[in-house]
Amino acid sequence: MPGMVTSPHPLASHAGAEVLRGGGNAAEAAVAMGAVLTVVMPHFCGLGGDAVWMLADRDGLETSILGIGQAPQVLPDLDGPLPMRGVGSMLTTACAVDSWDQALNVWDGGMDFADLIAPAIALARDGFTPSRSQDFWLDFRAADWPAWPGFAGRFDHRSSDGPLRQPELAEMLTLIARDGPRSFYDGQAAVRVAQGLADLGAAITSADLAATRSRRGDPVALDYRGLRLLAPPPPTQGITTLAIMGILARLDAGDPTHRIVEAVKQAFLDRHLIADPDMVPVDCAALLSPARLQAKAAAIRPDRAMDWPQPFRHGDTVFLSARDDQGRCASVLQSTFFDWGSGVVVGDTGIIWQNRGAGFSTVPGHPNCIAPDKRPFYTLNPGIAMKDGAPHLLYGTQGADGQPQTLAVILSALIDRGMMPADALSQPRCLLGRTFSDSGDSLKLEASHGSQMVAGLRDLGHQVAELPALSPIFGCAGVIRIDDGDVTGAHDPRGEGIAIGTHARP
């Protein structure tokens, strides 16, 4: 059976496809893609960010890798709301590189780590033409980034006519290639990172870097219409996505968008209970129990929208996935949280550090209240749907709070309506809550929903705001489908990504 990769950037997809053609496994292909994405999509992910992995095969393996950085051992003085940008928002370490190391140990692979990230090094050194997505977010933050430390001289590529080159990042990737992924935390690469953080006055120290480790654990699961949906465990919002689907399975026929939106509202009411399970107990079984899901479904009125009092979290990320010719599958999200993360470049490394620490609370007693060595509530939740003991669907999306919402729309299209990946990804989407373009708690709808549906939702009490069809505000998702010897995949028409099918070379 052929392999397949999908990612939000053609250069990353081609790097992953080449690994599969060379006989590499799905994890190796995903590492190659993830490394390229740290170079060509610096506005969404990087070495200064995190990654969450779901991996499964047809031999019974079902596992997650939570590459989530932790708060520093010594917290800075925190008074009032946490900063959203700048050095003050750099309140967690970066775990993406360690997650690559962990993922490469899941299956026996024959490829050298340095070879896997060689395409990323070449792109950082020699340059590339920035994507429309990168230019969009550079323009969107044009009033902000001139004040971000170290940013303008490295990412304002329009000051020259040539490709965007990142020589410092190439040097860091070269060090990691030479010394191995853990050198980012306790080797020569770590020395440069720690010095850059210290010079900025960041709270993260070399000891915090050395203590950074991914966690590998069992996914949370939910049976849905003959499939077994797998999601990463807390502190991610994976159980939120599963709860939405569990509520939908218990609803009678009605307006499909209304049902999805109301299921989202009910599931989000429990999100405040999700936190780092190393420090706060999270009862996943109770949150996904049939009785709880039935009660939430029963609370949904088919003729009236529920008021929406929940705060909204921003964030952006990249989804990539791979399926090799042996049926091994990886579904991955990498992120620096907001577009451009903290906005701060660390010393001479060329690395933008994430602002994921801004997702903590400072309210005493809150499950997500910041504490030393604690991981924050996490929006990343890539998924895998199993069918008859083997991976059937790989899926994930960009979009923070929008992730469970977008996944509900896509999964409903794939499973309930039997759509193929490209058709499911092209379906009109909805997004509840604030976005970068609209600070109101409205229900955003793509204009492709049509005037009749929009009017019907308004009649049900939804505060509707229309946005252009295929707007990037609605996330950038990807899907791979494996069924009866056939593998198909696609990436979102709202972005520039592609899926590529492969056969290993003889």
Side-chain angles (χ1 to χ4, degrees), residues 265-345:
K265 292 176 181 178
Q266 290 292 328
F268 273 40
L269 292 175
D270 287 342
R271 282 206 317 168
H272 70 284
L273 300 172
I274 302 173
D276 186 345
D278 290 350
M279 298 189 178
V280 178
V282 182
D283 193 340
C284 295
L287 292 174
L288 293 175
S289 69
R292 192 182 193 93
L293 296 177
Q294 182 59 48
K296 289 182 174 295
I300 292 174
R301 291 182 55 178
D303 60 344
R304 181 56 44 186
M306 184 182 84
D307 290 337
W308 183 239
Q310 298 295 302
F312 189 85
R313 300 169 189 264
H314 293 303
D316 282 296
T317 181
V318 293
F319 172 71
L320 56 142
S321 63
R323 192 264 184 198
D324 64 35
D325 59 4
Q326 299 299 309
R328 297 165 293 201
C329 295
S331 182
V332 190
L333 284 165
Q334 289 188 163
S335 176
T336 45
F337 200 31
F338 284 18
D339 59 283
W340 303 111
S342 66
V344 178
V345 177

Side-chain angles (χ1 to χ4, degrees), residues 225 246-253 259-260 262-263 296-298 300:
R225 306 198 195 286
I247 294 167
L248 287 175
R250 291 163 170 80
L251 293 178
D252 296 329
R259 284 185 291 144
I260 289 174
E262 295 305 297
K296 289 182 174 295
I300 292 174

Side-chain angles (χ1 to χ4, degrees), residues 49-76:
D50 288 341
V52 174
W53 292 65
M54 293 292 299
L55 301 110
D57 59 29
R58 54 194 181 194
D59 297 321
L61 175 81
E62 297 175 356
T63 193
S64 67
I65 296 173
L66 304 184
I68 300 175
Q70 79 282 0
Q73 297 168 19
V74 179
L75 296 179

Side-chain angles (χ1 to χ4, degrees), residues 90-103:
M90 299 164 62
L91 290 171
T92 60
T93 62
C95 203
V97 176
D98 184 73
S99 80
W100 298 348
D101 192 32
Q102 294 277 345

Side-chain angles (χ1 to χ4, degrees), residues 391-448:
H392 172 55
L393 298 170
L394 315 181
Y395 50 88
T397 185
Q398 169 197 54
D401 279 6
Q403 286 188 30
Q405 305 183 49
T406 296
L407 291 181
V409 172
I410 293 171
L411 288 173
S412 181
L414 291 166
I415 301 170
D416 301 337
R417 300 164 65 187
M419 289 186 177
M420 298 303 286
D423 294 329
L425 291 169
S426 299
Q427 287 296 292
R429 293 186 192 155
C430 54
L431 179 61
L432 179 66
R434 301 182 181 95
T435 68
F436 294 121
S437 64
D438 185 343
S439 60
D441 280 319
S442 58
L443 173 61
K444 281 75 178 171
L445 295 174
E446 287 188 291
S448 47

Side-chain angles (χ1 to χ4, degrees), residues 106 176 250:
V106 172
I176 297 167
R250 291 163 170 80

